[in-house]
Amino acid sequence: MTVNTRTPKARAVGSALRKARLDNGISLRGLATQLGKDPSQLSRWETGERAPRPTDVAQILAHLGVTGSEYDEIVEVSGGTHEPRWLAVTLPEQRQQLAATLEVERGATGITEVSPLLVPGLLQTREYVHAIMSAGGVDADEVATRSAIRLGRRETIFGQEPATFTGVIGEAALRQVIGGPKVMLDQLKHLLESGERSNVEIQVVPFSTGWHPALEGLFALYETEQGPVVHLENRRSGLFLHEPADVQTYQQAVARVRAVALSPDDSSAFVHRLINEMEGAR
């Protein structure tokens, strides 16, 4: 039995199957012939339009020679693809959820990231990313790889066919000096430059606004052809939401936060003032 809901988890499984097939240099039709399956069925699985059963996933991976922890990880995540919420707690599931996030970002037409304490990931500079990961206890040999992945994701809004991006940033994120004054100064300047792009809008939420939904934590809202999805993450887990009621809660939160945030022009002026303050203090 298959499920006709293109959930983030189904997309992650499909992406993993497609990667395994391409790594083996086998065409979709060729694999379908070898497995005795309909090519259109495999195609729907790979795009996440339909969700294969874990037994189907196991068969495909075994046929492609995928073994060990990679096999276990993909088969494990292939269960419950139809569920309304995808909570990733284990490291294997978090890796697969990262892959799903990349997939959703690449296909998004619009992204809104509400980030009260850090500069939004898609707007971070290399040095800022490095400082966060180093201070966060990431192994030194992994920092370069993770930083490259993080920076590669910026193509979503800086590439040739960019998504529209709205970054709603708390004042605390702009005043927290991460990586030292020079790194933070360069990060603020990068924010200003990014906000000048036609597809990027930045709004600052000042301390003076009082309570607002962003104080509950960061989240990202993605607009895709298959419908909107929300992603939340913290130090120990990540959560994807795609059910209409769940998504609507965060759409309303975005509206409330943006209503109390500074306008893009006033936000630009605010960041300019912070830059001047930092440069004057050097």
Side-chain angles (χ1 to χ4, degrees), residues 44-62:
R44 287 193 292 270
W45 286 350
E46 288 192 0
T47 61
E49 181 181 342
R50 296 271 181 150
R53 297 170 300 182
T55 52
D56 295 316
V57 172
Q59 179 192 15
I60 294 172
L61 295 177

Side-chain angles (χ1 to χ4, degrees), residues 35 39 58 72 99-100 105 154 167 203 214-215 225 263 271:
L35 295 172
D72 294 337
E105 281 181 352
R154 299 192 306 185
Q203 288 188 263
L215 294 176
E225 292 182 358
S263 69
V271 177

